[in-house]
């Protein structure tokens, strides 16, 4: 059975205009699933971690949460930029995708607070809050205007890669969202698409078949589209 733990707020979802509020989680075990098997820890089925073991387990999850949260908050506050060259078999063009933060998360500007931590299903789950600056509120109003379409995509990244696996999954979700949107808008494949994405709503992250799976929503700003001039 796949292990699925989805981050989704539905009716509890708060406005993103003034304050960001997302639910985040991190595995208590660096190698998810190993604590489910007595043989993996060399103990009987009644094995219970000692106090030092529990502290070490929670320390790992806390540190991972503090990696994941600023990365997601950066996508929601400042956005991510991308460059995309679609695969074109006829022209023998390989797919190219570049994805990075527009601005690194700055904790001196946006302080993150964590609330209501709880151990659930071998995970540490908590709520993360972050207030916006007046300029960031104005930027969100700009992003949410009708000229920026709402797009969405799903991506995967290997669990064994840890935080880098989640980043890879987010990058893939962004690429799939951009590709699927422009596939319906442009008749012929372009040479290159450059733009920006603002992560909106709440990221939905779970584990399935050894991969982190992320389901993300974005506002899209397309800076330029370069068409092929010659076949």
């Amino acid at each position: 059975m796949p292990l699925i733990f989805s981050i989704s707020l539905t009716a509890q979802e708060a406005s993103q205009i003034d304050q960001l509020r997302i639910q985040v989680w991190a595995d208590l075990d660096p190698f998810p699933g190993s604590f489910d098997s007595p043989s993996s820890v060399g103990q009987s089925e009644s094995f219970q971690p000692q106090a030092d073991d529990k502290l070490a387990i929670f320390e790992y999850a806390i540190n991972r949460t503090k990696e994941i949260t600023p990365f997601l908050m950066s996508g929601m506050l400042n956005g991510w930029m991308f460059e995309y060259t679609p695969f074109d078999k006829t022209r023998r063009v390989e797919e190219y995708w570049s994805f990075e933060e527009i601005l690194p998360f700055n904790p001196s500007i946006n302080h993150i607070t964590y609330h209501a931590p709880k151990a659930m299903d071998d995970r540490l789950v908590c709520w993360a809050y972050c207030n916006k600056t007046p300029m960031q509120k104005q930027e969100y109003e700009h992003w949410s205007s009708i000229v920026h379409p709402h797009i969405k995509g799903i991506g995967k990244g290997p669990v064994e890669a840890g935080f880098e696996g989640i980043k890879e999954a987010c990058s893939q979700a962004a690429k799939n969202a951009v590709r699927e949107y422009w596939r319906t808008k442009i008749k012929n494949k372009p040479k290159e698409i450059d733009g920006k994405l603002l992560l909106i709503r709440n990221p939905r992250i779970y584990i399935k078949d050894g991969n982190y799976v992320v389901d993300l929503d974005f506002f899209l700003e397309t800076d330029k589209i370069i068409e092929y001039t010659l076949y």
Side-chain angles (χ1 to χ4, degrees):
M1 293 290 290
L3 180 60
I4 301 178
F5 187 92
S6 178
I7 296 181
S8 180
L9 297 179
T10 60
Q12 298 183 43
E13 187 168 347
S15 169
Q16 192 174 317
I17 297 175
D18 298 317
Q19 182 187 67
L20 302 181
R21 174 181 181 265
I22 62 173
Q23 192 182 51
V24 293
W25 63 267
D27 295 296
L28 294 177
D29 178 12
F31 303 98
S34 65
F35 274 74
D36 296 334
S37 172
S39 62
S40 68
V41 292
Q43 301 288 338
S44 68
E45 291 186 7
S46 61
F47 169 78
Q48 294 294 329
Q50 300 300 312
D52 289 346
D53 297 321
K54 290 182 178 180
L55 179 61
I57 290 171
F58 278 104
E59 183 178 10
Y60 170 84
I62 290 168
N63 290 337
R64 177 59 56 81
T65 298
K66 290 182 177 181
E67 281 185 307
I68 296 170
T69 306
F71 173 72
L72 296 174
M73 292 291 194
S74 175
M76 301 177 83
L77 290 168
N78 307 308
W80 294 316
M81 68 179 79
F82 68 87
E83 295 180 10
Y84 178 47
T85 298
F87 169 74
D88 194 314
K89 183 177 180 180
T90 303
R91 295 183 173 90
R92 299 181 181 179
V93 175
E94 296 295 326
E95 182 181 69
Y96 172 78
W97 172 257
S98 172
F99 175 79
E100 58 184 300
E101 294 174 304
I102 294 175
L103 290 172
F105 184 85
N106 189 336
S108 66
I109 296 176
N110 299 104
H111 179 62
I112 298 175
T113 58
Y114 299 89
H115 302 266
K118 182 184 296 185
M120 296 175 58
D121 299 325
D122 295 329
R123 283 157 172 69
L124 179 66
V125 184
C126 68
W127 290 94
Y129 290 77
C130 176
N131 292 326
K132 290 185 173 184
T133 67
M135 183 174 294
Q136 288 169 341
K137 294 177 187 179
Q138 292 179 6
E139 279 294 310
Y140 182 78
E141 293 286 355
H142 165 73
W143 273 102
S144 60
S145 68
I146 195 171
V147 300
H148 295 112
H150 171 203
I151 65 176
K152 60 193 308 180
I154 297 176
K156 298 179 181 180
V159 168
E160 63 265 25
F163 173 52
E164 293 301 318
I166 291 181
K167 290 175 67 175
E168 180 180 332
C170 290
S171 176
Q172 190 180 107
K175 181 184 72 174
N176 291 337
V178 171
R179 180 177 61 193
E180 291 306 312
Y181 174 78
W182 281 113
R183 182 177 287 176
T184 65
K185 302 295 182 182
I186 302 177
K187 183 178 180 180
N188 298 315
K189 287 184 182 179
K191 183 178 181 181
E192 183 178 327
I193 303 173
D194 297 346
K196 303 179 185 70
L197 294 164
L198 186 75
L199 179 62
I200 60 173
R201 300 184 177 177
N202 288 276
R204 296 162 296 283
I205 306 174
Y206 55 92
I207 293 176
K208 183 177 181 181
D209 299 331
N211 287 296
Y212 288 114
V213 181
V214 301
D215 183 356
L216 305 179
D217 293 77
F218 307 95
F219 286 136
L220 168 66
E221 180 173 282
T222 303
D223 294 331
K224 66 178 180 179
I225 298 178
I226 303 174
E227 301 282 354
Y228 285 103
T229 55
L230 295 174
Y231 186 79

